[in-house]
Amino acid sequence: SQQGEEDPQALSIQEGENATMNCSYKTSINNLQWYRQNSGRGLVHLILIRSNEREKHSGRLRVTLDTSKKSSSLLITASRAADTASYFCAPDSGGSNYKLTFGKGTLLTVNP
Amino acid sequence: GAVVSQHPSRVICKSGTSVKIECRSLDFQATTMFWYRQFPKQSLMLMATSNEGSKATYEQGVEKDKFLINHASLTLSTLTVTSAHPEDSSFYICSALWMGETQYFGPGTRLLVL
């Protein structure tokens, strides 16, 4: 498994604004997943994008994937205070062990 | 989406005692589950991969005799922290592999060892 590197490490915005966070990885992937973690809770799966996909939407979330640059971005539109959380990307290189390695994440704070 | 539960959500125990944490996949069968540990303000660290009907695979540096994992059914994996010490205090999170592709996580168990 390989670890994704999220950027920025912290992001503070006002409610209603859009939030963009980025993820870079090192080697080829089968898919890349984004997760959210609210303070003191488990991870919530947000979206999975496969290596042959360039963009995917889910509600207010938009994920892009650029395999040539080995990077992905997560855009949250019209942010809400409830979006305050840490966001992690998890690149999946495939293989039979299914392991994911998590980086430090992006801590998003949405101010009301 | 798939639902994974953990029990208990928090536990306080005395040093030297053992603590068992359960991880259940509620609406799907999971041949593979994972156990993570997370210290304050840090990311999740994978401890071990739990495979139904076989021995768990531990990550480097994780003591298998201290963190006993049993995956006895397709919906239940347990992690037992044996002879717990204050340095084992942490947030333990499990996940279950769905459709061989996506890990769905439990809500976590906060362990405090006094």
Side-chain angles (χ1 to χ4, degrees), chain A residues 8-91:
Chain A
Q9 288 191 18
L11 180 60
S12 182
I13 59 174
Q14 294 299 121
E15 211 166 23
E17 293 180 341
N18 296 343
T20 299
M21 50 207 91
N22 303 295
C23 169
S24 59
Y25 56 93
K26 291 190 166 62
T27 63
S28 63
I29 58 172
N30 282 356
N31 64 64
L32 185 142
Q33 303 181 58
W34 284 91
Y35 289 86
R36 182 187 76 225
Q37 184 181 32
N38 292 85
S39 181
R41 306 299 300 272
L43 273 68
V44 173
H45 184 260
L46 296 177
I47 202 161
L48 179 153
I49 187 165
R50 293 194 167 81
S51 60
N52 61 352
E53 297 175 308
R54 291 296 165 259
E55 189 171 309
K56 206 162 181 179
H57 295 80
S58 176
R60 293 184 297 113
L61 306 180
R62 174 178 154 239
V63 167
T64 63
L65 178 65
D66 186 335
T67 52
S68 67
K69 295 182 179 177
K70 294 186 174 56
S71 67
S72 174
S73 68
L74 170 66
L75 167 68
I76 304 174
T77 60
S79 63
R80 305 167 182 168
D83 295 327
T84 295
S86 290
Y87 292 81
F88 298 92
C89 69

Side-chain angles (χ1 to χ4, degrees), chain B residues 21-107:
Chain B
I21 303 170
E22 293 185 349
C23 177
R24 292 182 186 273
S25 55
L26 296 185
D27 52 0
F28 67 102
Q29 294 183 329
T31 55
T32 304
M33 292 184 174
F34 301 88
W35 287 96
Y36 296 82
R37 181 167 53 182
Q38 185 177 35
F39 292 105
K41 297 193 188 304
Q42 293 189 22
S43 189
L44 279 74
M45 296 296 296
L46 179 65
M47 298 175 67
T49 304
S50 171
N51 298 295
E52 189 268 337
S54 65
K55 290 184 179 179
T57 305
Y58 290 82
E59 295 301 299
Q60 195 170 11
V62 177
E63 300 174 57
K64 62 180 182 182
D65 294 329
K66 181 165 184 61
F67 298 100
L68 300 179
I69 291 172
N70 184 23
H71 194 152
S73 80
L74 287 171
T75 58
L76 174 64
S77 175
T78 60
L79 169 69
T80 300
V81 183
T82 62
S83 186
H85 290 287
E87 57 266 29
D88 298 322
S89 298
S90 189
F91 191 53
Y92 292 86
I93 310 174
C94 72
S95 70
L97 188 67
W98 179 78
M99 298 292 283
E101 189 173 57
T102 302
Q103 289 188 33
Y104 285 94
F105 286 78

